[in-house]
Amino acid sequence: MSFLFPVLMIGIFVAVFGGIYFRRRRNQRILTEGDLTVALVLDIHQTGTVINQSPVMALQLRLEQTGQATRELNLRQVIDLGNIPRVGEQVYISVDKKNPNAAVYMGLVTALNSQAGIAASQTQMVADAASISPRLRESKTFGVATIQGMAAGTAPGATVFTLEIDSCVEPKRVVTIEQVMQNNPFRVGDRAYLFVSKEDKNAVAVVPLSLVGGQKLDPNNNRLDALVLGPQILHEGKKAMATVTEADEVKVNNGFLEKRGVQRWHLQFLVKPEDGSMAYAAEQTLSFTKPERVQRVCRIGAEVPIRIDWNDPHTIVTDPLAMGYPDPYVTVMDIYKDALAAGEIEQPK
């Protein structure tokens, strides 16, 4: 046997099987590092190639993640006979973060969840999260909006949402989005949290209830929530001084916070804007995390710095930062984090 023969055999092996080997390595990397996405099967057919008795299938998919433009993706992959999807079905794919045109088919949404033994609540959470683009899911920027309208979308399980985005520093604005959300729990008039893109403020997605333990924003609570509008008005609202004219303690509706000493007061103020314009009366129900703040603010005649909503002069908060106190919204978040770490409250499932 000549020396050339084994060299030729190695070359033939690499040419025939090397591509398969490197595709498998690439696919494994995409599976572990890629972005989970839900896609709609537009077309599927066999390529005529069979590997280990499983056909290589050609798939044409449509990705409709909220927060990015709808696009199509073609891929070829070995798929075992029991896992081949049909046109019109929704599937999970993992998309390469380095190359958005490279992806790996993972399986049917319903079949994969069933095989993995995922609970119904977790199944909903995975599907809802996968329908939102990674740039929105990972932005860590949130908004809040009132749902003004809903209609059936073009994709299976999709809803067209008309949203009025609330703000204490900018004019309210209306955006319309289409978002896949199986078993949509929202109604017109509900307030909902949003994922907001840092690059484009009109690129938003409704935060599914499956990602927040199924809890809706309570319409009876203060509009100034602890995640979005409260911190926004505290840090960016218009500055002013106010005199407390009435102060009445009211019940704390949250038993968890009440046990930790949080107090709630209904206060009436005479607001004196910094620009010298006419003083006016306003009232607000506010929560206080520190007893010393209650003593400082919640008494008739107290002079306190406040912040005012740029869109609504009657929406105000006292300014603890100007009085030398810590940010109360950070304090509330820390209370919840400590309770989660101690096992006093359950992590949303």
Side-chain angles (χ1 to χ4, degrees):
M1 182 182 296
S2 71
F3 174 76
L4 184 60
F5 181 75
V7 173
L8 287 174
M9 289 302 295
I10 291 172
I12 292 171
F13 180 87
V14 171
V16 174
F17 297 103
I20 296 173
Y21 171 74
F22 287 113
R23 277 197 298 274
R24 285 181 176 173
R25 286 193 61 184
R26 184 207 65 170
N27 287 357
Q28 188 61 41
R29 177 182 61 78
I30 295 175
L31 280 172
T32 56
E33 301 176 2
D35 289 318
L36 180 66
T37 303
V38 174
L40 182 70
V41 179
L42 300 178
D43 184 55
I44 183 168
H45 61 270
Q46 294 190 25
T47 62
T49 301
V50 176
I51 299 176
N52 293 332
Q53 300 183 335
S54 294
V56 176
M57 306 296 296
L59 294 90
Q60 181 183 5
L61 306 170
R62 184 172 69 205
L63 283 63
E64 294 186 317
Q65 285 190 310
T66 306
Q68 69 179 22
T70 299
R71 66 186 184 98
E72 294 185 7
L73 180 67
N74 295 295
L75 62 88
R76 293 190 173 205
Q77 185 174 325
V78 177
I79 303 177
D80 63 72
L81 294 174
N83 197 26
I84 296 175
R86 293 176 294 184
V87 172
E89 290 187 312
Q90 288 182 317
V91 298
Y92 283 134
I93 63 172
S94 185
V95 180
D96 192 347
K97 292 182 178 180
K98 300 178 181 178
N99 177 11
N101 292 316
V104 176
Y105 167 75
M106 299 176 65
L108 287 165
V109 168
T110 53
L112 197 62
N113 291 338
S114 175
Q115 292 167 9
I118 299 175
S121 60
Q122 293 174 312
T123 298
Q124 185 76 50
M125 183 168 59
V126 171
D128 286 341
S131 69
I132 300 170
S133 72
R135 70 167 178 163
L136 288 182
R137 292 199 310 260
E138 299 167 6
S139 69
K140 294 184 173 61
T141 302
F142 298 95
V144 65
T146 300
I147 299 173
Q148 291 190 328
M150 294 192 302
T154 56
T159 300
V160 176
F161 289 95
T162 302
L163 306 168
E164 182 185 57
I165 300 178
D166 204 350
S167 175
C168 293
V169 297
E170 298 177 342
K172 294 181 181 180
R173 66 185 192 279
V174 176
V175 300
T176 300
I177 63 169
E178 182 170 342
Q179 181 171 341
V180 174
M181 190 181 296
Q182 304 291 345
N183 306 313
N184 175 15
F186 290 103
R187 298 180 180 180
V188 173
D190 282 348
R191 286 174 67 79
Y193 282 123
L194 307 176
F195 290 117
V196 182
S197 168
K198 292 180 180 178
E199 295 80 24
D200 178 5
K201 65 181 181 180
N202 288 319
V204 304
V206 175
V207 176
L209 294 188
S210 61
L211 303 186
V212 291
Q215 298 298 312
K216 285 187 179 182
L217 284 171
D218 188 340
N220 298 316
N221 280 352
N222 193 322
R223 166 176 164 255
L224 303 177
D225 66 289
L227 181 64
V228 179
L229 296 182
Q232 188 181 79
I233 191 173
L234 177 60
H235 292 278
E236 303 178 63
K238 189 186 304 184
K239 294 180 180 180
M241 291 296 295
T243 303
V244 178
T245 57
E246 292 288 342
D248 298 292
E249 187 173 4
V250 297
K251 180 176 175 56
V252 177
N253 294 324
N254 186 314
F256 173 81
L257 292 177
E258 185 178 21
K259 289 179 181 178
R260 282 153 180 81
V262 174
Q263 296 186 39
R264 194 163 173 80
W265 286 74
H266 183 77
L267 303 173
Q268 296 184 33
F269 300 92
L270 181 65
V271 178
K272 295 166 279 190
E274 272 195 342
D275 59 11
S277 56
M278 184 177 295
Y280 62 91
E283 58 184 283
Q284 194 77 301
T285 300
L286 303 171
S287 296
F288 296 87
T289 57
K290 303 289 183 181
E292 54 267 33
R293 276 192 63 206
V294 173
Q295 295 172 7
R296 167 73 172 80
V297 174
C298 302
R299 55 185 177 82
I300 295 174
E303 294 284 332
V304 295
I306 64 169
R307 293 282 189 143
I308 306 173
D309 186 333
W310 288 87
N311 298 314
D312 177 11
H314 288 87
T315 296
I316 62 176
V317 295
T318 58
D319 188 347
L321 303 180
M323 291 184 277
Y325 298 116
D327 187 325
Y329 298 109
V330 173
T331 300
V332 169
M333 291 300 180
D334 287 343
I335 289 173
Y336 275 108
K337 288 178 183 177
D338 291 344
L340 275 172
E344 296 177 35
I345 57 176
E346 292 185 2
Q347 180 76 36
K349 297 179 180 180

